[in-house]
Amino acid sequence: MQTAREENLQQRKLSGKRTGEVLVEMGILTLEQVEEAVAEQRTSRKRIGDIALSKGWVTKAKLMEALALRLGVKYLDLANTRLDPVTADLVSEKDARRYAAIPVSFVDDHTLLVAMADPSNIVAIDDLRILTGFDIEPAIATSEDIVTLLSNMKRSDDHISEDLDAKAEVGEDPTTGAELRDIREQVDAAPVVKLVNGVLARAADEGASDIHFEPQAKDLLVRFRHDGVLHETLTIPKRLQQGVLSRLKIMADLDIAERRVPQDGRIGLVVGGRPIDMRVASLPTVYGEKIVIRLLDRSNVMLRLEDLGFSDIALSRYQRSYTKPYGAVLVTGPTGSGKSTTLYGTLNILNTPEKNIITVEDPVEYRLAGINQVQINPKAGLTFASGLRSILRCDPDIIMVGEIRDKETAQIAVESALTGHLVLSTLHTNNAPGALSRLTEMGVEPFLTASAVDCVIAQRLVRKLCEYCKEAYPATREMLERLAFPQRAIEGWKEVSLYRAVGCAHCNQNGYKGRMGIYEIMPVTEAIERLIVERKSADEIMRVAAAEGMITLRQDGIERVLEGRTSIEEISRVIV
């Protein structure tokens, strides 16, 4: 470790030199590499640093460190730098984007430390000095980090509401038209509109799946659901509560005068160039209406099945089922376990011009080109059962039923699979064998279920450990035996390393970032068909399926733990 004095001496030594010379002095590049980059620069006109970066000779972080030494300033990794929210509010977002600069903290009572993409921009520094009223100490950061931080940064509640016009009513704000507009472009909108747009944009940028607006006694609490877990995000002053909630109801085309009964709606927006569908639900509470928004990023539906977390063995088993011309494939699991994503990923593979694919859903979460999607409407008499009955008269090859909820839907789905159609659907059961018992409980004859169902999948979503901060720790033989790890791991316990969540700036101190699926794939074999006809229990079906090589949810999860992708605590949280 260098002392502060040594760092200052090195900075003075390298300050003013060319980037190539600095990289050589730092021991990152050789003289031969610099000469090669200079030769290429004569024709490409690129900077030496950019050439070295494109050739893989230097990382972005090391290049920024070299530039900082050359310019005689600090290098800030904004992903691991804590921002002072007071200093962040000294420069508006518009000016911050204009100068590619963001105040980070106070150096002293008269000086601000400002992260800049170009610290040599004297004009920008002078303008920032005038805007903030403080002297500026520039530091260098990547433009990508600055843009990302500006997108995610939470402006203080007081600053958001300072310019609120007490006379302005939300009902006077222009409502969103049929044409989708990027909410980032609405920079001159009223304060409440900007506040709502900022929350929605931030949720989309952070990859949140749900936004909860929860009225409390003294304020309006906003929580985001990340990777299946809710996190408190910000609080909004109580005096803005009704304006915010009314704005959301206007955007979702709900009745703003009705506050006594629950309502449902939808918002279509573009955030950062990405189309986002938002399902909105309101619920009256003692402190006002709670509004929950489910975010559906239409670009995510194009994920391949390989990206969802399927192991090679599980994926090959599943492929054998969905590539058949007929039969039923059932996906089971609790709400929020990724069942719809799995089915949409399957439909993307099956969607070809030769196939007539029709779905009946509640709601239609993602719009897929080339697929006929039907939204059920119980008030108009369009239920899963009636919709499925009508679909069969439209010459389908593949049918997707959003959920089998009752006997009539189950009966038609099973009969459709028996009459030459590939049927994809979901059920709410805890494991794969339970789906077969559930159909029998619904009133479907077991011999029909045995003949129609080709494969059942049970799945869960588990959080992935953050790659930047996960921490390895040695396993003990007793631990592996107690947690039912595979025999190969128990026998080689000395070589087994497990990982635990720690938390860092990259994962918002959660220790986890992103989710993946774990799967239980159960093909319906002849032995399982006999058990279904004999009305055997789900436990008996489970034993036979395991004997035939089925990997259970827990076993699949433990394999992900051994790979270092998640933790044993996360598997225990998701699977009983």
Side-chain angles (χ1 to χ4, degrees):
M1 288 286 291
Q2 284 184 316
T3 65
R5 186 169 182 272
E6 288 172 339
E7 288 178 357
N8 290 334
L9 287 172
Q10 184 187 28
Q11 195 170 59
R12 285 199 294 270
K13 178 183 175 184
L14 298 178
S15 180
K17 291 192 174 184
R18 295 181 179 180
T19 304
E21 294 174 334
V22 174
L23 290 168
V24 171
E25 290 273 357
M26 292 174 67
I28 296 171
L29 295 186
T30 64
L31 285 172
E32 290 76 15
Q33 287 174 321
V34 172
E35 289 170 359
E36 183 181 335
V38 170
E40 183 175 326
Q41 186 184 43
R42 294 191 185 101
T43 55
S44 66
R45 301 295 182 186
K46 291 182 179 179
R47 296 177 179 176
I48 295 292
D50 293 336
I51 294 171
L53 192 64
S54 65
K55 289 182 177 291
W57 295 341
V58 63
T59 64
K60 186 75 171 178
K62 287 295 182 183
L63 177 59
M64 296 305 293
E65 287 179 21
L67 290 173
L69 287 171
R70 185 174 72 83
L71 295 170
V73 298
K74 293 180 181 178
Y75 163 58
L76 295 178
D77 178 5
L78 294 182
N80 291 301
T81 301
R82 185 175 182 85
L83 244 66
D84 184 335
V86 176
T87 63
D89 279 339
L90 292 173
V91 177
S92 69
E93 185 177 355
K94 182 178 178 181
D95 288 329
R97 291 184 184 276
R98 175 184 174 190
Y99 297 118
I102 184 167
V104 174
S105 60
F106 286 106
V107 177
D108 53 42
D109 291 343
H110 308 286
T111 310
L112 278 178
L113 177 64
V114 178
M116 304 181 67
D118 182 9
S120 62
N121 188 341
I122 302 301
V123 175
I125 292 173
D126 286 341
D127 288 351
L128 290 169
R129 184 182 294 111
I130 295 170
L131 286 170
T132 62
F134 291 90
D135 292 332
I136 303 299
E137 180 182 313
I140 192 168
T142 66
S143 56
E144 294 86 355
D145 280 355
I146 291 173
V147 171
T148 300
L149 193 58
L150 284 170
S151 298
N152 296 339
M153 188 175 62
K154 179 180 73 176
R155 300 286 172 174
S156 69
D157 299 333
D158 290 341
H159 179 72
I160 291 171
S161 58
E162 265 179 4
D163 298 326
L164 182 67
D165 183 353
K167 298 179 180 179
E169 296 293 333
V170 175
E172 296 173 1
D173 293 337
T175 60
T176 54
E179 180 184 358
L180 297 183
R181 293 185 296 165
D182 194 325
I183 59 175
R184 296 195 187 286
E185 297 173 0
Q186 301 178 26
V187 294
D188 297 323
V192 167
V193 177
K194 287 199 293 184
L195 171 56
V196 171
N197 286 352
V199 173
L200 298 181
R202 181 180 175 191
D205 288 337
E206 293 183 3
S209 60
D210 301 86
I211 312 171
H212 291 241
F213 292 86
E214 302 176 335
Q216 305 295 313
K218 296 181 179 180
D219 49 39
L220 177 65
L221 178 64
V222 180
R223 295 196 290 170
F224 290 172
R225 187 179 294 279
H226 290 288
D227 301 328
V229 179
L230 277 171
H231 300 280
E232 186 174 324
T233 304
L234 73 152
T235 55
I236 296 172
K238 191 71 174 179
R239 61 194 176 90
L240 298 181
Q241 173 178 308
Q242 199 51 50
V244 169
L245 299 181
S246 295
R247 174 61 185 169
L248 289 168
K249 292 172 73 174
I250 288 172
M251 295 175 75
D253 199 23
L254 304 181
D255 183 357
I256 63 171
E258 181 56 78
R259 302 176 187 173
R260 299 166 298 173
V261 297
Q263 298 185 68
D264 296 292
R266 197 180 198 114
I267 301 173
L269 293 175
V270 176
V271 181
R274 293 179 297 145
I276 305 286
D277 283 336
M278 300 184 181
R279 284 162 36 196
V280 182
S282 70
L283 182 70
T285 70
V286 291
Y287 292 121
E289 287 179 287
K290 173 185 171 78
I291 290 184
V292 178
I293 301 177
R294 168 68 58 88
L295 278 71
L296 304 169
D297 188 344
R298 280 184 273 173
S299 61
N300 285 345
V301 77
M302 301 310 292
L303 284 173
R304 302 177 306 151
L305 290 177
E306 293 87 343
D307 298 329
L308 300 181
F310 279 94
S311 65
D312 292 338
I313 295 174
L315 187 57
S316 63
R317 287 184 176 179
Y318 183 38
Q319 283 174 333
R320 285 198 292 270
S321 296
Y322 72 71
T323 51
K324 292 181 179 179
Y326 56 85
V329 176
L330 303 178
V331 183
T332 72
T335 301
S337 60
K339 301 186 298 295
S340 296
T341 302
T342 298
L343 289 182
Y344 280 125
T346 307
L347 288 180
N348 275 330
I349 297 171
L350 297 173
N351 187 13
T352 62
E354 297 80 25
K355 302 278 180 65
N356 178 23
I357 303 175
I358 307 179
T359 74
V360 53
E361 307 170 58
D362 179 32
V364 176
E365 294 188 356
Y366 298 101
R367 313 293 171 88
L368 302 177
I371 293 179
N372 307 282
Q373 296 173 272
V374 178
Q375 166 76 54
I376 75 164
N377 186 355
K379 292 181 180 178
L382 180 57
T383 62
F384 276 118
S386 62
L388 186 51
R389 200 178 297 110
S390 300
I391 284 173
L392 292 173
R393 295 193 287 268
C394 296
D395 186 32
D397 296 299
I398 299 170
I399 301 168
M400 188 188 97
V401 184
E403 183 183 346
I404 294 177
R405 297 177 178 172
D406 51 51
K407 176 183 178 181
E408 189 177 7
T409 306
Q411 193 80 36
I412 300 170
V414 166
E415 290 173 358
S416 302
L418 289 171
T419 54
H421 304 92
L422 178 63
V423 179
L424 308 176
S425 189
T426 69
L427 269 175
H428 286 286
T429 60
N430 291 327
N431 54 33
L436 303 174
S437 301
R438 177 63 56 83
L439 290 176
T440 302
E441 292 166 2
M442 283 183 172
V444 179
E445 289 295 334
F447 70 89
L448 292 176
T449 300
S451 301
V453 179
D454 188 75
C455 179
V456 184
I457 304 173
Q459 69 177 77
R460 299 289 190 279
L461 289 178
V462 296
R463 293 179 293 171
K464 294 190 290 187
L465 286 166
C466 174
E467 292 295 331
Y468 290 93
C469 65
K470 66 180 182 180
E471 181 180 79
Y473 64 95
T476 64
R477 186 183 183 94
E478 293 75 16
M479 178 197 303
L480 299 182
E481 289 175 345
R482 176 169 47 84
L483 296 172
F485 272 66
Q487 193 61 35
R488 72 177 195 281
I490 295 173
E491 292 173 356
W493 64 272
K494 292 182 180 179
E495 284 74 41
V496 173
S497 288
L498 304 181
Y499 291 84
R500 62 167 65 97
V502 178
C504 67
H506 291 277
C507 58
N508 290 325
Q509 306 303 324
N510 295 323
Y512 298 92
K513 192 171 181 65
R515 288 192 290 178
M516 64 181 175
I518 55 175
Y519 300 90
E520 182 176 279
I521 312 289
M522 189 186 75
V524 179
T525 61
E526 290 185 10
I528 293 175
E529 285 182 13
R530 284 195 297 272
L531 295 176
I532 297 170
V533 173
E534 294 169 7
R535 296 177 183 266
K536 297 295 184 181
S537 68
D539 289 340
E540 292 179 85
I541 296 173
M542 171 71 84
R543 281 194 290 271
V544 172
E548 292 182 335
M550 182 187 78
I551 299 172
T552 65
L553 281 169
R554 186 170 186 82
Q555 289 169 342
D556 194 40
I558 285 174
E559 289 298 328
R560 304 291 88 76
V561 171
L562 289 172
E563 293 169 4
R565 300 173 69 185
T566 190
S567 66
I568 192 64
E569 292 81 10
E570 179 66 5
I571 298 299
S572 300
R573 182 184 72 86
V574 173
I575 302 170
V576 178

